[in-house]
mmCIF file of all heavy atoms in Angstrom:
data_model
loop_
_atom_site.group_PDB
_atom_site.id
_atom_site.type_symbol
_atom_site.label_atom_id
_atom_site.label_comp_id
_atom_site.label_asym_id
_atom_site.label_seq_id
_atom_site.Cartn_x
_atom_site.Cartn_y
_atom_site.Cartn_z
ATOM 1 N N SER A 176 0.847 -1.241 0.019
ATOM 2 C CA SER A 176 -0.014 -0.067 0.034
ATOM 3 C C SER A 176 0.867 1.202 0.015
ATOM 4 O O SER A 176 2.101 1.093 0.197
ATOM 5 C CB SER A 176 -0.891 -0.046 1.256
ATOM 6 O OG SER A 176 -0.087 0.327 2.424
ATOM 7 N N PRO A 177 0.329 2.402 -0.205
ATOM 8 C CA PRO A 177 1.088 3.606 -0.020
ATOM 9 C C PRO A 177 1.755 3.795 1.302
ATOM 10 O O PRO A 177 2.878 4.274 1.445
ATOM 11 C CB PRO A 177 0.055 4.754 -0.309
ATOM 12 C CG PRO A 177 -0.953 4.153 -1.203
ATOM 13 C CD PRO A 177 -1.018 2.739 -0.761
ATOM 14 N N THR A 178 1.166 3.204 2.338
ATOM 15 C CA THR A 178 1.700 3.282 3.672
ATOM 16 C C THR A 178 2.839 2.381 3.797
ATOM 17 O O THR A 178 3.918 2.768 4.416
ATOM 18 C CB THR A 178 0.597 2.933 4.735
ATOM 19 O OG1 THR A 178 -0.399 3.997 4.728
ATOM 20 C CG2 THR A 178 1.224 2.967 6.155
ATOM 21 N N THR A 179 2.795 1.171 3.343
ATOM 22 C CA THR A 179 3.919 0.242 3.393
ATOM 23 C C THR A 179 5.140 0.739 2.598
ATOM 24 O O THR A 179 6.200 0.550 2.948
ATOM 25 C CB THR A 179 3.539 -1.212 2.967
ATOM 26 O OG1 THR A 179 3.127 -1.127 1.513
ATOM 27 C CG2 THR A 179 2.501 -1.812 3.821
ATOM 28 N N ALA A 180 4.804 1.422 1.459
ATOM 29 C CA ALA A 180 5.871 1.989 0.653
ATOM 30 C C ALA A 180 6.594 3.151 1.423
ATOM 31 O O ALA A 180 7.800 3.264 1.427
ATOM 32 C CB ALA A 180 5.331 2.531 -0.715
ATOM 33 N N LEU A 181 5.786 3.944 2.119
ATOM 34 C CA LEU A 181 6.321 5.027 2.869
ATOM 35 C C LEU A 181 7.162 4.472 4.077
ATOM 36 O O LEU A 181 8.249 4.981 4.396
ATOM 37 C CB LEU A 181 5.258 5.990 3.384
ATOM 38 C CG LEU A 181 5.636 7.125 4.305
ATOM 39 C CD1 LEU A 181 6.660 8.035 3.599
ATOM 40 C CD2 LEU A 181 4.419 7.840 4.829
ATOM 41 N N ASN A 182 6.600 3.385 4.715
ATOM 42 C CA ASN A 182 7.333 2.796 5.836
ATOM 43 C C ASN A 182 8.697 2.273 5.475
ATOM 44 O O ASN A 182 9.632 2.343 6.280
ATOM 45 C CB ASN A 182 6.506 1.616 6.474
ATOM 46 C CG ASN A 182 5.410 2.228 7.404
ATOM 47 O OD1 ASN A 182 5.562 3.319 7.965
ATOM 48 N ND2 ASN A 182 4.510 1.368 7.804
ATOM 49 N N ARG A 183 8.833 1.753 4.271
ATOM 50 C CA ARG A 183 10.105 1.240 3.838
ATOM 51 C C ARG A 183 11.172 2.348 3.783
ATOM 52 O O ARG A 183 12.320 2.099 4.157
ATOM 53 C CB ARG A 183 10.034 0.619 2.427
ATOM 54 C CG ARG A 183 9.501 -0.754 2.377
ATOM 55 C CD ARG A 183 9.637 -1.444 1.061
ATOM 56 N NE ARG A 183 9.017 -0.694 0.023
ATOM 57 C CZ ARG A 183 7.842 -0.999 -0.429
ATOM 58 N NH1 ARG A 183 7.089 -1.876 0.227
ATOM 59 N NH2 ARG A 183 7.276 -0.426 -1.426
ATOM 60 N N ILE A 184 10.788 3.574 3.487
ATOM 61 C CA ILE A 184 11.680 4.740 3.493
ATOM 62 C C ILE A 184 11.921 5.202 4.887
ATOM 63 O O ILE A 184 13.062 5.535 5.326
ATOM 64 C CB ILE A 184 11.145 5.830 2.575
ATOM 65 C CG1 ILE A 184 11.063 5.347 1.196
ATOM 66 C CG2 ILE A 184 11.942 7.090 2.677
ATOM 67 C CD1 ILE A 184 10.252 6.339 0.195
ATOM 68 N N LEU A 185 10.901 5.366 5.676
ATOM 69 C CA LEU A 185 11.037 5.863 7.054
ATOM 70 C C LEU A 185 11.773 4.923 7.888
ATOM 71 O O LEU A 185 12.481 5.338 8.819
ATOM 72 C CB LEU A 185 9.631 6.045 7.605
ATOM 73 C CG LEU A 185 8.789 7.106 6.999
ATOM 74 C CD1 LEU A 185 7.397 7.275 7.721
ATOM 75 C CD2 LEU A 185 9.432 8.474 6.843
ATOM 76 N N SER A 186 11.699 3.634 7.652
ATOM 77 C CA SER A 186 12.442 2.623 8.454
ATOM 78 C C SER A 186 13.979 2.751 8.196
ATOM 79 O O SER A 186 14.701 2.133 8.981
ATOM 80 C CB SER A 186 11.972 1.208 8.111
ATOM 81 O OG SER A 186 12.384 0.854 6.833
ATOM 82 N N LEU A 187 14.337 3.406 7.202
ATOM 83 C CA LEU A 187 15.755 3.649 7.011
ATOM 84 C C LEU A 187 16.116 5.151 7.214
ATOM 85 O O LEU A 187 17.215 5.608 6.832
ATOM 86 C CB LEU A 187 16.080 3.411 5.468
ATOM 87 C CG LEU A 187 15.805 1.908 4.972
ATOM 88 C CD1 LEU A 187 16.017 1.893 3.474
ATOM 89 C CD2 LEU A 187 16.699 1.017 5.680
ATOM 90 N N ALA A 188 15.288 5.852 7.992
ATOM 91 C CA ALA A 188 15.495 7.237 8.405
ATOM 92 C C ALA A 188 15.639 8.066 7.116
ATOM 93 O O ALA A 188 16.488 8.950 7.108
ATOM 94 C CB ALA A 188 16.698 7.354 9.299
ATOM 95 N N GLY A 189 14.852 7.788 6.130
ATOM 96 C CA GLY A 189 14.889 8.465 4.918
ATOM 97 C C GLY A 189 13.846 9.654 4.803
ATOM 98 O O GLY A 189 13.217 9.978 5.802
ATOM 99 N N ASN A 190 13.719 10.213 3.628
ATOM 100 C CA ASN A 190 12.643 11.211 3.358
ATOM 101 C C ASN A 190 11.994 10.904 2.106
ATOM 102 O O ASN A 190 12.574 10.305 1.175
ATOM 103 C CB ASN A 190 13.331 12.626 3.378
ATOM 104 C CG ASN A 190 14.181 12.830 2.180
ATOM 105 O OD1 ASN A 190 13.786 13.324 1.135
ATOM 106 N ND2 ASN A 190 15.508 12.543 2.275
ATOM 107 N N ALA A 191 10.709 11.376 1.979
ATOM 108 C CA ALA A 191 9.935 10.998 0.807
ATOM 109 C C ALA A 191 8.850 12.003 0.536
ATOM 110 O O ALA A 191 8.391 12.626 1.466
ATOM 111 C CB ALA A 191 9.335 9.589 1.055
ATOM 112 N N ALA A 192 8.556 12.022 -0.692
ATOM 113 C CA ALA A 192 7.282 12.854 -1.085
ATOM 114 C C ALA A 192 6.064 11.989 -0.989
ATOM 115 O O ALA A 192 6.163 10.754 -1.232
ATOM 116 C CB ALA A 192 7.462 13.381 -2.541
ATOM 117 N N ILE A 193 5.053 12.487 -0.415
ATOM 118 C CA ILE A 193 3.798 11.691 -0.271
ATOM 119 C C ILE A 193 2.867 12.167 -1.372
ATOM 120 O O ILE A 193 2.218 13.152 -1.323
ATOM 121 C CB ILE A 193 3.130 12.042 1.084
ATOM 122 C CG1 ILE A 193 4.145 11.644 2.229
ATOM 123 C CG2 ILE A 193 1.871 11.160 1.270
ATOM 124 C CD1 ILE A 193 3.605 11.948 3.678
ATOM 125 N N ASP A 194 2.835 11.294 -2.352
ATOM 126 C CA ASP A 194 1.966 11.659 -3.569
ATOM 127 C C ASP A 194 0.510 11.146 -3.366
ATOM 128 O O ASP A 194 -0.327 11.830 -4.022
ATOM 129 C CB ASP A 194 2.477 10.894 -4.844
ATOM 130 C CG ASP A 194 3.979 11.349 -5.151
ATOM 131 O OD1 ASP A 194 4.226 12.549 -4.992
ATOM 132 O OD2 ASP A 194 4.810 10.474 -5.550
ATOM 133 N N ASP A 195 0.313 10.265 -2.505
ATOM 134 C CA ASP A 195 -1.091 9.752 -2.390
ATOM 135 C C ASP A 195 -1.917 10.781 -1.504
ATOM 136 O O ASP A 195 -1.477 11.088 -0.338
ATOM 137 C CB ASP A 195 -1.117 8.369 -1.664
ATOM 138 C CG ASP A 195 -2.442 7.765 -1.603
ATOM 139 O OD1 ASP A 195 -3.179 8.160 -0.660
ATOM 140 O OD2 ASP A 195 -2.855 6.899 -2.397
ATOM 141 N N GLU A 196 -2.928 11.210 -2.068
ATOM 142 C CA GLU A 196 -3.758 12.300 -1.509
ATOM 143 C C GLU A 196 -4.332 11.869 -0.115
ATOM 144 O O GLU A 196 -4.233 12.625 0.935
ATOM 145 C CB GLU A 196 -4.888 12.738 -2.364
ATOM 146 C CG GLU A 196 -5.627 13.984 -1.756
ATOM 147 C CD GLU A 196 -4.827 15.229 -1.890
ATOM 148 O OE1 GLU A 196 -3.967 15.405 -2.858
ATOM 149 O OE2 GLU A 196 -4.959 16.044 -0.977
ATOM 150 N N LEU A 197 -4.922 10.693 -0.025
ATOM 151 C CA LEU A 197 -5.427 10.269 1.268
ATOM 152 C C LEU A 197 -4.386 9.995 2.292
ATOM 153 O O LEU A 197 -4.529 10.367 3.529
ATOM 154 C CB LEU A 197 -6.204 8.897 1.037
ATOM 155 C CG LEU A 197 -7.658 8.990 0.638
ATOM 156 C CD1 LEU A 197 -8.295 7.633 0.527
ATOM 157 C CD2 LEU A 197 -8.452 9.861 1.620
ATOM 158 N N LEU A 198 -3.229 9.481 1.994
ATOM 159 C CA LEU A 198 -2.178 9.253 2.886
ATOM 160 C C LEU A 198 -1.630 10.600 3.432
ATOM 161 O O LEU A 198 -1.389 10.700 4.612
ATOM 162 C CB LEU A 198 -0.984 8.413 2.258
ATOM 163 C CG LEU A 198 0.196 8.199 3.150
ATOM 164 C CD1 LEU A 198 -0.204 7.450 4.482
ATOM 165 C CD2 LEU A 198 1.258 7.400 2.386
ATOM 166 N N PHE A 199 -1.480 11.552 2.512
ATOM 167 C CA PHE A 199 -1.051 12.892 2.964
ATOM 168 C C PHE A 199 -2.022 13.515 3.948
ATOM 169 O O PHE A 199 -1.649 14.069 4.981
ATOM 170 C CB PHE A 199 -0.805 13.764 1.735
ATOM 171 C CG PHE A 199 -0.263 15.124 2.005
ATOM 172 C CD1 PHE A 199 0.969 15.276 2.572
ATOM 173 C CD2 PHE A 199 -1.063 16.237 1.840
ATOM 174 C CE1 PHE A 199 1.485 16.548 2.890
ATOM 175 C CE2 PHE A 199 -0.551 17.575 2.078
ATOM 176 C CZ PHE A 199 0.719 17.682 2.585
ATOM 177 N N GLU A 200 -3.269 13.365 3.658
ATOM 178 C CA GLU A 200 -4.338 13.882 4.558
ATOM 179 C C GLU A 200 -4.274 13.206 5.915
ATOM 180 O O GLU A 200 -4.351 13.876 6.899
ATOM 181 C CB GLU A 200 -5.668 13.654 3.903
ATOM 182 C CG GLU A 200 -6.849 14.280 4.656
ATOM 183 C CD GLU A 200 -8.204 13.979 4.025
ATOM 184 O OE1 GLU A 200 -8.236 13.762 2.754
ATOM 185 O OE2 GLU A 200 -9.240 14.165 4.728
ATOM 186 N N ALA A 201 -4.075 11.842 5.933
ATOM 187 C CA ALA A 201 -3.949 11.149 7.132
ATOM 188 C C ALA A 201 -2.741 11.584 7.987
ATOM 189 O O ALA A 201 -2.860 11.801 9.164
ATOM 190 C CB ALA A 201 -3.853 9.604 6.913
ATOM 191 N N VAL A 202 -1.614 11.733 7.308
ATOM 192 C CA VAL A 202 -0.444 12.193 8.025
ATOM 193 C C VAL A 202 -0.583 13.539 8.663
ATOM 194 O O VAL A 202 -0.264 13.763 9.792
ATOM 195 C CB VAL A 202 0.810 12.166 7.080
ATOM 196 C CG1 VAL A 202 1.993 12.972 7.660
ATOM 197 C CG2 VAL A 202 1.190 10.722 6.705
ATOM 198 N N LEU A 203 -1.180 14.545 7.909
ATOM 199 C CA LEU A 203 -1.425 15.837 8.456
ATOM 200 C C LEU A 203 -2.422 15.678 9.730
ATOM 201 O O LEU A 203 -2.234 16.369 10.647
ATOM 202 C CB LEU A 203 -2.001 16.753 7.412
ATOM 203 C CG LEU A 203 -1.033 17.115 6.314
ATOM 204 C CD1 LEU A 203 -1.712 18.085 5.352
ATOM 205 C CD2 LEU A 203 0.281 17.764 6.875
ATOM 206 N N ALA A 204 -3.393 14.855 9.534
ATOM 207 C CA ALA A 204 -4.396 14.721 10.642
ATOM 208 C C ALA A 204 -3.756 14.121 11.901
ATOM 209 O O ALA A 204 -3.989 14.603 13.009
ATOM 210 C CB ALA A 204 -5.616 13.807 10.147
ATOM 211 N N VAL A 205 -2.978 13.120 11.676
ATOM 212 C CA VAL A 205 -2.219 12.537 12.840
ATOM 213 C C VAL A 205 -1.322 13.606 13.492
ATOM 214 O O VAL A 205 -1.253 13.631 14.716
ATOM 215 C CB VAL A 205 -1.390 11.364 12.395
ATOM 216 C CG1 VAL A 205 -0.353 10.905 13.447
ATOM 217 C CG2 VAL A 205 -2.284 10.207 11.972
ATOM 218 N N ASP A 206 -0.557 14.412 12.692
ATOM 219 C CA ASP A 206 0.299 15.305 13.285
ATOM 220 C C ASP A 206 -0.495 16.313 14.174
ATOM 221 O O ASP A 206 -0.078 16.676 15.249
ATOM 222 C CB ASP A 206 1.043 16.176 12.195
ATOM 223 C CG ASP A 206 2.157 16.964 12.638
ATOM 224 O OD1 ASP A 206 3.070 16.483 13.336
ATOM 225 O OD2 ASP A 206 2.073 18.239 12.403
ATOM 226 N N THR A 207 -1.650 16.793 13.715
ATOM 227 C CA THR A 207 -2.486 17.701 14.461
ATOM 228 C C THR A 207 -2.974 16.986 15.805
ATOM 229 O O THR A 207 -2.932 17.581 16.816
ATOM 230 C CB THR A 207 -3.671 18.144 13.681
ATOM 231 O OG1 THR A 207 -3.244 18.907 12.521
ATOM 232 C CG2 THR A 207 -4.665 18.990 14.433
ATOM 233 N N LEU A 208 -3.392 15.774 15.672
ATOM 234 C CA LEU A 208 -3.917 15.067 16.857
ATOM 235 C C LEU A 208 -2.783 14.634 17.765
ATOM 236 O O LEU A 208 -2.963 14.589 19.016
ATOM 237 C CB LEU A 208 -4.705 13.818 16.463
ATOM 238 C CG LEU A 208 -6.056 14.164 15.605
ATOM 239 C CD1 LEU A 208 -6.617 13.048 14.947
ATOM 240 C CD2 LEU A 208 -6.966 14.766 16.581
ATOM 241 N N TRP A 209 -1.600 14.369 17.282
ATOM 242 C CA TRP A 209 -0.439 14.046 18.165
ATOM 243 C C TRP A 209 -0.173 15.287 18.973
ATOM 244 O O TRP A 209 0.070 15.140 20.221
ATOM 245 C CB TRP A 209 0.722 13.749 17.275
ATOM 246 C CG TRP A 209 2.072 13.536 18.019
ATOM 247 C CD1 TRP A 209 2.431 12.497 18.735
ATOM 248 C CD2 TRP A 209 3.122 14.469 18.084
ATOM 249 N NE1 TRP A 209 3.698 12.696 19.356
ATOM 250 C CE2 TRP A 209 4.130 13.857 18.943
ATOM 251 C CE3 TRP A 209 3.370 15.788 17.555
ATOM 252 C CZ2 TRP A 209 5.314 14.543 19.211
ATOM 253 C CZ3 TRP A 209 4.561 16.451 17.814
ATOM 254 C CH2 TRP A 209 5.505 15.805 18.678
ATOM 255 N N ARG A 210 -0.220 16.447 18.412
ATOM 256 C CA ARG A 210 0.081 17.650 19.239
ATOM 257 C C ARG A 210 -1.148 17.986 20.191
ATOM 258 O O ARG A 210 -0.926 18.264 21.422
ATOM 259 C CB ARG A 210 0.168 18.853 18.266
ATOM 260 C CG ARG A 210 1.369 18.645 17.405
ATOM 261 C CD ARG A 210 1.451 19.822 16.282
ATOM 262 N NE ARG A 210 2.459 19.532 15.244
ATOM 263 C CZ ARG A 210 3.743 19.867 15.455
ATOM 264 N NH1 ARG A 210 4.205 20.383 16.625
ATOM 265 N NH2 ARG A 210 4.613 19.508 14.561
ATOM 266 N N ALA A 211 -2.361 17.739 19.751
ATOM 267 C CA ALA A 211 -3.491 17.959 20.616
ATOM 268 C C ALA A 211 -3.540 17.093 21.911
ATOM 269 O O ALA A 211 -3.974 17.508 22.979
ATOM 270 C CB ALA A 211 -4.811 17.812 19.795
#
């Protein structure tokens, strides 16, 4: 999935562009809720 593809990069302490619209929306939502 787009998440498993992203995890492969993050597990190597890498950086990536998030092209999938839903995944990008989820990441932003998590960031807001993590802070809240």
